[in-house]
Amino acid sequence: MSQNLVVQAWKALNGIVRKKDVAPVREGGGVPAEIDLPEERSSRVIGILTIICDGLSASRLHELGEYDWRNPWVTDDRFPIQPHDPVTRTIVLVQCTYYPTSEDVLNELRSHDLERPTHENALQFGRQHPLEQTKIKHVIVFLHELVLNQNGNPCFITLRGDVDHRSIYLIEGAYGWDRGDVFAGVHKA
């Protein structure tokens, strides 16, 4: 491998240049060299929806969501919601073009001037926008404040759906997220 190719690969792997910036390289006999370079890290807004948070309990919202499958660990004890007057919230859906960690997602939300959602936001979104779950081809993740699952691991509410099935899950976010997953943020009031 030529020294120039090594330098280009090192720069690409360290985020100094993007994949498209690396010139095509040929070695011995004109065969293109294969370099697995990282994708460009970015995110985009794919939807903006309004919800009304009205202080209903987590168990009631879980029931009202009318999911085809409901995670039994979504309980009032794990997801307490204090009664309050109705408040309108704007939920912004952001999709990453890379495999983000939870910290990456929170940074992406901040870059779009969004706040971290609450678990009430997640449960109300599922209840009030069931068709969004079936239209979006990826999981919708709500990175609310940490809640521990039955194994004591931090988890987050996620909504999934397709043409004829809607589900609410608790997913561990410690290992990162898939490229294309959709993350909910809240427009700052």
Side-chain angles (χ1 to χ4, degrees):
M1 185 179 286
S2 72
Q3 184 174 1
N4 185 34
L5 177 59
V6 172
V7 170
Q8 286 181 354
W10 180 86
K11 285 181 177 178
L13 290 172
N14 287 285
I16 296 170
V17 294
R18 296 182 310 260
K19 189 173 189 173
K20 67 183 181 181
D21 294 333
V22 178
V25 178
R26 297 184 180 271
E27 285 187 30
V31 178
E34 295 288 330
I35 303 175
D36 186 21
L37 300 177
E39 294 294 322
E40 193 170 342
R41 296 168 60 99
S42 64
S43 64
R44 64 188 178 103
V45 172
I46 65 165
I48 301 173
L49 299 114
T50 301
I51 62 170
I52 297 173
C53 294
D54 53 12
L56 290 176
S57 69
S59 59
R60 184 71 178 129
L61 290 171
H62 200 217
E63 180 184 324
L64 291 172
E66 298 181 351
Y67 299 99
D68 297 301
W69 187 84
R70 295 185 304 187
N71 189 304
W73 290 91
V74 177
T75 64
D76 293 337
D77 289 338
R78 279 193 183 80
F79 297 94
I81 298 173
Q82 298 300 316
H84 60 81
D85 291 333
V87 178
T88 301
R89 296 283 184 247
T90 301
I91 302 295
V92 179
L93 301 176
V94 176
Q95 188 172 44
C96 293
T97 61
Y98 59 98
Y99 296 93
T101 64
S102 292
E103 190 59 37
D104 290 335
V105 171
L106 294 174
N107 288 333
E108 292 290 350
L109 293 179
R110 282 189 286 274
S111 78
H112 291 283
D113 202 28
L114 301 172
E115 295 178 341
R116 185 177 205 157
T118 66
H119 52 266
E120 183 181 13
N121 297 151
L123 295 167
Q124 288 288 5
F125 184 92
R127 169 188 172 205
Q128 296 175 33
H129 294 288
L131 292 180
E132 286 303 311
Q133 278 182 259
T134 61
K135 290 190 318 189
I136 294 175
K137 306 267 190 281
H138 298 276
V139 63
I140 303 172
V141 180
F142 289 79
L143 285 181
H144 48 72
E145 291 298 322
L146 292 179
V147 173
L148 301 181
N149 67 9
Q150 64 273 22
N151 300 321
N153 297 322
C155 61
F156 304 96
I157 293 175
T158 63
L159 305 175
R160 297 178 184 202
D162 56 32
V163 175
D164 59 356
H165 187 84
R166 290 178 51 246
S167 303
I168 182 169
Y169 291 89
L170 292 180
I171 301 293
E172 293 181 25
Y175 306 107
W177 303 97
D178 287 337
R179 179 188 330 186
D181 282 349
V182 176
F183 302 93
V186 179
H187 189 272
K188 294 181 179 179

